[in-house]
Amino acid sequence: MTPDLITIGRSSIDLYSQDVGRPLPEVRSIGAYLGGSPLNIAVGASRLGVKAALVTAVGDDQPGDFILAGLRREGVNTSYIPRKPGTRTSAVILAVQPPDRFPITFYRDNAADIQLGIDDIQAVPVEEARALVVNGTALSREPSRSATLFACERARAAGVPVYLDLDFRANQWHDPRAFGLNIRALLPNVDVVIGTEEEINAAMLRDPADLTIRHSQMTAPEIRGDVAANTAALLSRVPTVVVKEGERGCTVHRAGEEPLGVPGFPVEVVSVLGAGDAFAAGLIAGRLRGWDWFRSARLGNACGAIVVTRIGCADFTPTGAEVDAFVGEKGGWECPG
């Protein structure tokens, strides 16, 4: 069955501390989950009723078995996931220290998903999908970079909307400025850019001194920059830029229109990891349903808010029924007040 949504990029086995509040040296209990931004989005969308496929690569190893089995349980199409002999499936280790520390370590040396190549993309029915999602980390090395460019080029030629999740992970780049250079090179074939305020700044980063990472929080760097100006710079190249703003919700910027602020849902944070991917899954699922930008972003905000109350990413994204119940309790789909 042809998927409505195709996501392309990294995947991993995520090893999350179950001892909330303790630093990693004191952790004695760890849970294993599915992870990686494109994987999380595929699972999140699948739980919301979208026919989704993930295009990644795994090694001929047990973590690869874990990922494939987990995706199949979630109803995500795995037909386009090759095994790459001689490589390793990625892994992530995370300590959970709310409210504001989530130190993370990526194990991506010889990562299988970076070996995803043009021939692998050739086998994917990109033109038959209703949306394509790619992510920034996939641009960090070859052959994944060319595979991503090829997929976006095919989608653009077929009129398939392309969503770019910026997914800035500074330690995956030889120079953080290379992230922005590659992102900007991809933009002519992108319809929607999704990123945090920090990622928006990273996409236009000029001085590495503006980047600071504390407490090994690779997923939450501090990046100095003018978010408004950098959003405008991106918007001059793509039709839509969606800025994720945490508990405040998000803002949808559309070329030639006033910014659309969409409020979030206040909740108590347990772990921020995976919230942005859940947001993207909800936003895209809403658009695939034919919803307008406000309601779609509201769905994204609800999915993100639910995930931050849990420990984990893909395994903890909500179903449609859970979202409906949550939004009902929080005042409904329309803007409160």
Side-chain angles (χ1 to χ4, degrees), residues 184-204:
R184 297 191 296 274
L186 184 63
L187 293 182
N189 287 321
V190 169
D191 296 282
V192 183
V193 171
I194 302 173
T196 63
E197 293 172 299
E198 292 78 15
E199 288 172 330
I200 297 295
N201 285 338
M204 305 302 291

Side-chain angles (χ1 to χ4, degrees), residues 17-146:
S17 166
Q18 305 297 288
D19 298 327
V20 176
R22 293 184 179 181
L24 196 61
E26 298 177 12
V27 168
R28 293 295 176 269
S29 179
I30 287 180
Y33 307 110
L34 297 170
S37 177
L39 182 153
N40 296 336
I41 294 172
V43 170
S46 180
R47 289 191 173 189
L48 294 173
V50 175
K51 292 186 295 182
L54 174 65
V55 181
T56 187
V58 297
D60 190 13
D61 50 24
Q62 292 182 82
D65 297 338
F66 178 89
I67 288 173
L68 292 172
L71 289 170
R72 290 167 185 147
R73 283 196 303 271
E74 294 291 345
V76 174
N77 188 330
T78 61
S79 301
Y80 315 109
I81 302 179
R83 298 268 193 175
K84 297 289 182 178
T87 68
R88 291 291 180 89
T89 303
S90 298
V92 170
I93 293 181
L94 175 77
V96 181
Q97 298 172 264
D100 60 356
R101 291 196 184 185
F102 304 93
I104 192 168
T105 302
F106 291 92
Y107 289 88
R108 290 184 54 78
D109 292 340
N110 192 29
D113 58 65
I114 285 293
Q115 296 304 315
L116 195 71
I118 292 173
D119 285 342
D120 298 314
I121 300 299
Q122 190 73 62
V124 180
V126 172
E127 291 83 359
E128 299 175 35
R130 296 176 56 212
L132 174 71
V133 177
V134 295
N135 78 313
T137 300
L139 301 172
S140 63
R141 294 178 180 83
E142 292 288 1
S144 175
R145 179 187 296 118
S146 292

